[in-house]
Amino acid sequence: MRGLFPRTAAALLLLCQAQFVLGKRVVVDWDVGYVNVNRDNTKMRRAIGVNGALPIPPVFATKGDTLILNVANSLDETTSVHAHGLFQNGTSYLDGPAMVNQCGIPPGESFSYEYIIDQPGTYWLHGHDHHQNSDGFRAPLVIYDNHNPFDYDEDILLSFEDWYKEEFAERAKITLDPAFAFPPPHGYGHALINGYNGNYTKPIYFHPGKTYRLRLINIGTLRWFQFTLPGHEMRVIEMDGIDIEPQVVEGLDIAPAQRYSILVTARNSVEFNYRYNATMYASFVPPSNGLEPRVYLGDIIYREGAPFKMPNSHSQTWFADDVDFHSFDGEPALPVDRSIRMTIGNNPYHT
């Protein structure tokens, strides 16, 4: 009997340690339904929100957690949720594309997604049925890492999305109608930053000498965003959930669904405030003065009432090419036995 006690104590110790390793259960309840909103300060329209609200609050978890997403469908059509960027190895039935990996959740029914969180980084959640993400059913997903290899003082999230005055079904009908020119009148849209009109987004506060991690997510449908932060050095440390070797860039071109993390160290002086630039555009939409591209400016506040430092309007910005980044862990690429070259493109103006 004396020999059993040490074994029991060791087993209990391992059990306690396992609880810390396995993390906690993060439970998020979503009741998906229709809401009436005026997100772009242009028009009140029907959209899709969660728990009676839009924008949908970001979801946060830590590597090792289990995220339980309980989804109740209060729409009049089926719905589903895709965790964009999570690999779903062995759990493809939780991936979300309706009628591909799962049946859509019927109206009045519910479904629980259980994600084992083992990928730290920046992701997002969105509807994957009936193009519902285009009508607002989308939210950032941030997964922290207790052993993060980068040092910074504060984590700041900026989500970008395109928004239109019509619901997606109406836009799709007009877009596909040969009687209308391309792009149709609705094609320009507006940009939202953190869920609201990009020109009315809350300011970011910087404190001299501190380093900030800015997570930049394009949760939009069609449009790219070019992001710059004049007067500051931007060091890219993450792309699409993968840590990369820090690289200094002047600007980032963020495609729909793409995510970056950058480190920015605040200036030592509080003499000036600054503005970041988020320009929304699409290569397939012809330029139009004031409509395409659309420029949105967000405030970086060092001191209330300080003047804003204006960037050099004559300087050219170098936008990083993501194929030039290298993974932080240095894992080599898989060996290639055969290469196939494919050229893919489109011409929306071809008749």
Side-chain angles (χ1 to χ4, degrees):
M1 293 295 291
R2 286 182 297 176
L4 293 178
F5 179 76
R7 296 180 185 177
T8 304
L12 290 173
L13 179 60
L14 288 173
L15 179 61
C16 292
Q17 291 175 339
Q19 289 178 336
F20 287 106
V21 172
L22 294 175
K24 60 184 182 299
R25 290 174 65 85
V26 178
V27 180
V28 177
D29 296 322
W30 278 3
D31 185 356
V32 182
Y34 297 109
V35 294
N36 289 310
V37 292
N38 182 2
R39 306 183 75 192
D40 55 9
N41 289 20
T42 300
K43 179 186 176 183
M44 183 73 72
R45 54 156 286 194
R46 190 178 78 158
I48 297 176
V50 162
N51 302 332
L54 194 66
I56 303 169
V59 176
F60 301 97
T62 302
K63 181 180 179 180
D65 290 348
T66 299
L67 172 61
I68 310 297
L69 181 62
N70 299 315
V71 179
N73 184 8
S74 294
L75 303 172
D76 58 10
E77 60 186 12
T78 57
T79 191
S80 65
V81 176
H82 174 60
H84 198 107
L86 299 190
F87 294 149
Q88 302 291 3
N89 290 332
T91 54
S92 60
Y93 50 87
L94 297 175
D95 198 37
M99 307 314 297
V100 177
N101 297 83
Q102 69 167 96
C103 296
I105 306 169
E109 300 295 332
S110 61
F111 184 80
S112 292
Y113 295 87
E114 184 168 330
Y115 307 115
I116 305 301
I117 301 300
D118 58 1
Q119 295 173 239
T122 310
Y123 306 92
W124 59 301
L125 299 161
H126 62 85
H128 214 301
D129 198 2
H130 303 288
H131 304 282
Q132 292 161 355
N133 63 310
S134 298
D135 287 323
F137 188 15
R138 51 199 183 192
L141 169 63
V142 175
I143 301 174
Y144 297 115
D145 189 349
N146 287 328
H147 302 287
N148 176 60
F150 306 106
D151 293 326
Y152 51 89
D153 299 295
E154 189 175 336
D155 207 304
I156 297 173
L157 178 65
L158 287 175
S159 65
F160 307 99
E161 53 188 307
D162 49 352
W163 190 252
Y164 305 89
K165 63 181 184 292
E166 303 92 354
E167 294 183 43
F168 178 84
E170 181 180 353
R171 290 194 295 116
K173 181 179 180 180
I174 296 174
T175 301
L176 297 175
D177 190 334
F180 287 88
F182 185 90
H186 65 256
Y188 296 107
H190 293 269
L192 308 179
I193 301 178
N194 284 349
Y196 299 96
N197 184 299
N199 287 322
Y200 301 95
T201 303
K202 293 181 179 180
I204 297 172
Y205 290 88
F206 274 10
H207 298 278
K210 287 193 173 183
T211 297
Y212 298 85
R213 177 175 183 161
L214 274 60
R215 298 178 187 264
L216 313 175
I217 315 177
N218 185 348
I219 61 174
T221 306
L222 295 172
R223 313 301 281 277
W224 278 250
F225 285 86
Q226 289 184 332
F227 182 86
T228 60
L229 183 49
H232 298 76
E233 182 182 83
M234 302 194 308
R235 290 168 288 155
V236 183
I237 59 168
E238 178 216 355
M239 182 181 70
D240 293 340
I242 303 298
D243 290 337
I244 64 173
E245 294 179 4
Q247 180 166 324
V248 176
V249 301
E250 294 180 357
L252 289 170
D253 203 4
I254 313 173
Q258 199 167 24
R259 297 94 60 204
Y260 286 103
S261 283
I262 59 174
L263 293 184
V264 178
T265 299
R267 303 176 70 90
N268 291 322
S269 171
V270 296
E271 180 181 3
F272 295 104
N273 295 323
Y274 294 80
R275 288 191 172 101
Y276 64 81
N277 182 312
T279 297
M280 184 180 77
Y281 78 100
S283 60
F284 53 82
V285 178
S288 177
N289 189 29
L291 296 175
E292 178 67 27
R294 285 189 186 268
V295 177
Y296 295 84
L297 302 176
D299 294 347
I300 304 291
I301 302 298
Y302 280 83
R303 177 172 57 87
E304 295 285 358
F308 283 88
K309 183 78 169 181
M310 303 307 294
N312 183 355
S313 59
H314 300 290
S315 62
Q316 290 287 100
T317 300
W318 171 69
F319 287 92
D321 191 337
D322 54 16
V323 299
D324 294 330
F325 297 145
H326 302 279
S327 64
F328 187 81
D329 60 13
E331 184 176 345
L334 295 174
V336 176
D337 299 315
R338 180 185 178 194
S339 295
I340 301 175
R341 183 178 182 85
M342 301 180 67
T343 301
I344 303 173
N346 60 49
N347 184 357
Y349 308 112
H350 180 72
T351 57

